[in-house]
Amino acid sequence: MSFLQKLINGVTRLNDVLGRWIALLVFVMTALLLLEVVCRYLLNSPTVWTSELTQFVFGVYAIMAGGYVMAHKGHVNVDLLYSRFSVRTQAIIDVFTSVLFYIFILAFLYFASSMAWESFQGSETTYSAWNPPVWPVKAFMPLAIVLVLLQGTVKLLRDIAVAINPDNANVLKDSIDDGTEESH
């Protein structure tokens, strides 16, 4: 089980650390919007690039948060009956429903990768007054999806182990599950 435990901890730690760094983009967005307000209203010299750059940063922020949110079990979950089941039954249900996750995430990865590649090949821009390239932002989409895919795979492996032996629920905890998160 030690390899599986290391994999669970490694992927979860990766998503946790990246998520914490990505969260700092809120300050970048705030600074950009504040700069625009100062330039527009105090200096009477609005910029053509701050709003669009803020949108780009927000796009990266939103898409890159997926792995972190999944690692922290923060996605929306309707569990009217699910929470009443035993840990083993929950794991068995999660193993079967993971098929839907993989169908969605692999299709998303395929289409996002195609979109990012086409944007790069075509040197896509926004066609605005500033006209920046779009492909750097779109390149984050496949990366973010791979991070969610890795976290989902770790969850599936853990669910399989718990479905086989419910005692694995206590053994295969990551640092986020048991509250012993290491300092970064």
Side-chain angles (χ1 to χ4, degrees), residues 52-115:
E52 199 163 21
L53 183 57
T54 302
Q55 290 173 355
F56 281 4
V57 172
F58 179 74
V60 171
Y61 170 82
I63 192 80
M64 289 296 291
Y68 177 86
V69 171
M70 188 170 194
H72 286 269
K73 298 169 184 67
H75 287 288
V76 174
N77 188 12
V78 178
D79 62 354
L80 298 172
L81 298 175
Y82 180 85
S83 62
R84 296 179 188 198
F85 295 138
S86 69
V87 172
R88 183 175 191 199
T89 303
Q90 288 178 356
I92 292 168
I93 291 169
D94 288 346
V95 167
F96 284 109
T97 59
S98 68
V99 172
L100 298 173
F101 166 79
Y102 282 104
I103 290 170
F104 171 78
I105 206 74
L106 291 173
F108 194 19
L109 179 61
Y110 172 77
F111 289 113
S113 298
S114 296
M115 186 182 351

Side-chain angles (χ1 to χ4, degrees), residues 9-26:
N9 286 341
V11 170
T12 302
R13 183 172 297 134
L14 173 67
N15 275 311
D16 187 57
V17 169
L18 286 174
R20 290 175 188 274
W21 278 100
I22 292 297
L24 297 175
L25 291 177
V26 166

Side-chain angles (χ1 to χ4, degrees), residues 153-165:
T153 300
V154 161
K155 182 179 179 341
L156 174 62
L157 292 173
R158 185 169 183 228
D159 287 336
I160 289 170
V162 171
I164 292 169
N165 181 358

Side-chain angles (χ1 to χ4, degrees), residues 4-47:
L4 187 56
Q5 183 66 58
K6 287 179 183 177
L7 181 67
I8 288 170
N9 286 341
V11 170
T12 302
R13 183 172 297 134
L14 173 67
N15 275 311
D16 187 57
V17 169
L18 286 174
R20 290 175 188 274
W21 278 100
I22 292 297
L24 297 175
L25 291 177
V26 166
F27 297 112
V28 173
M29 290 182 281
T30 302
L32 287 168
L33 293 173
L34 185 60
L35 175 66
E36 174 60 20
V37 168
V38 168
C39 288
R40 179 178 301 267
Y41 295 108
L42 295 179
L43 304 175
N44 200 23
S45 179
T47 64

